[in-house]
Amino acid sequence: MGDGEALQGFSHKVAHSESGLNESDWIDGEPHSDKQGVKRIAGPGCNVTAVTLAFQPAVAEGLVDYGDILADLAVGYSGAGKNPKRPGLLAAEAFGSATPYSVGGVHRHIPEIVQNLMHASQAGAVNGRCEEDPVGMTVAFTPILVPMARGILAVVSARLSDKGMTLDNEGIRSVWHEAYRGERFIRVLDEGCMPATAAVLGSNAAQIQVAVDRRAKRLYGFAAIDNLDRGTAGQALQSLNLALGLPEEQGLTTIGVAP
């Protein structure tokens, strides 16, 4: 049993004899990557989506130390599921309180986060933008339940690499702008404007920001999404639209409308 299966608590291997499919026939469901004509898409988790959107430009461009990635996420209570064995999920317990959960490297989304960031690194290497080997990539992931029903705010950081240190702040920001150029549902905010979960609730949108701490030599990526929409159903529908050759935005909105 691999790390992913151990953290998930079950095996997800495809029954080849019954379906005739291999696991390699499925691709990750981050819909902003090229999915046109693909028929078998595996939807990523909500935390995975937030971390990937916040930080994959840094990894693909080789701007950070791959062995020093920290991801702290403020997560609405719907993001923690409805397992009756998990304490602290009742409204009376959640109101006015924040608490971490699944800490110490046991969260089931960690292998998927690492997988996505490794794919970003490998894609960057193929395109000549990144020279570092992603082997040894680690992600220290801490989700924190906060008193809101839905939404995720991801704060992801890592030490700047030598390449990252050579770029000024505007050069680093341009990496994010280029990575998400033309993406209907992803907005890289103006400098100094931070993502907010309230602005994306009920939509398939993602708000993204990047910042540099020169004193600490760290690069920060931020993302705000609705875990129930962009993090789950919305991006599944977006992937379905792309797979079927339909308009990518059909049935989806970028306007936060949830109360």
Side-chain angles (χ1 to χ4, degrees):
M1 180 177 289
D3 287 347
E5 292 177 8
L7 293 178
Q8 289 282 357
F10 62 88
S11 173
H12 61 275
K13 290 185 180 295
V14 175
H16 298 174
S17 60
E18 297 177 7
S19 66
L21 302 177
N22 295 312
E23 291 182 31
S24 59
D25 293 327
W26 297 80
I27 63 172
D28 183 76
E30 264 302 313
H32 67 271
S33 57
D34 186 13
K35 300 287 189 295
Q36 200 71 39
V38 175
K39 301 301 182 184
R40 302 185 182 104
I41 302 173
C46 53
N47 295 313
V48 179
T49 299
V51 174
T52 301
L53 292 178
F55 220 59
Q56 65 178 355
V59 174
E61 200 67 26
L63 301 181
V64 295
D65 177 355
Y66 297 153
D68 179 55
I69 300 175
L70 307 179
D72 297 322
L73 275 63
V75 182
Y77 273 72
S78 59
K82 298 175 65 176
N83 188 338
K85 295 182 180 180
R86 175 175 289 165
L89 295 182
L90 297 177
E93 298 171 306
F95 183 75
S97 179
T99 183
Y101 71 101
S102 296
V103 301
V106 302
H107 196 285
R108 62 184 183 178
H109 282 171
I110 292 174
E112 194 178 353
I113 293 171
V114 173
Q115 170 189 276
N116 278 8
L117 295 181
M118 288 186 69
H119 286 173
S121 172
Q122 291 160 358
V126 168
N127 294 326
R129 303 194 311 273
C130 169
E131 298 180 356
E132 294 189 33
D133 188 339
V135 174
M137 179 179 289
T138 61
V139 176
F141 174 61
T142 303
I144 303 166
L145 287 177
V146 296
M148 59 185 184
R150 57 200 291 179
I152 293 176
L153 178 65
V155 181
V156 191
S157 72
R159 285 192 302 269
L160 285 161
S161 66
D162 291 342
K163 179 179 180 180
M165 289 293 292
T166 66
L167 297 180
D168 60 17
N169 290 4
E170 188 56 37
I172 287 177
R173 287 186 59 78
S174 70
V175 172
W176 267 255
H177 282 288
E178 185 61 31
Y180 295 128
R181 186 183 304 278
E183 294 295 335
R184 295 176 176 87
F185 296 104
I186 302 175
R187 181 186 176 194
V188 180
L189 301 177
D190 293 340
E191 187 172 5
C193 182
M194 300 307 295
T197 56
V200 296
L201 295 187
S203 79
N204 194 50
Q207 289 190 342
I208 308 295
Q209 186 55 277
V210 57
V212 185
D213 184 339
R214 294 290 175 181
R215 185 183 298 274
K217 298 181 181 180
R218 296 192 72 83
L219 180 59
Y220 287 81
F222 305 86
I225 66 170
D226 182 343
N227 59 294
L228 298 180
D229 203 317
R230 177 69 203 204
T232 313
Q235 69 178 350
L237 179 56
Q238 186 181 354
S239 294
L240 178 63
N241 287 341
L242 291 170
L244 297 180
L246 299 172
E248 182 179 8
E249 68 278 10
Q250 186 162 306
L252 298 167
T253 178
T254 60
I255 303 172
V257 296

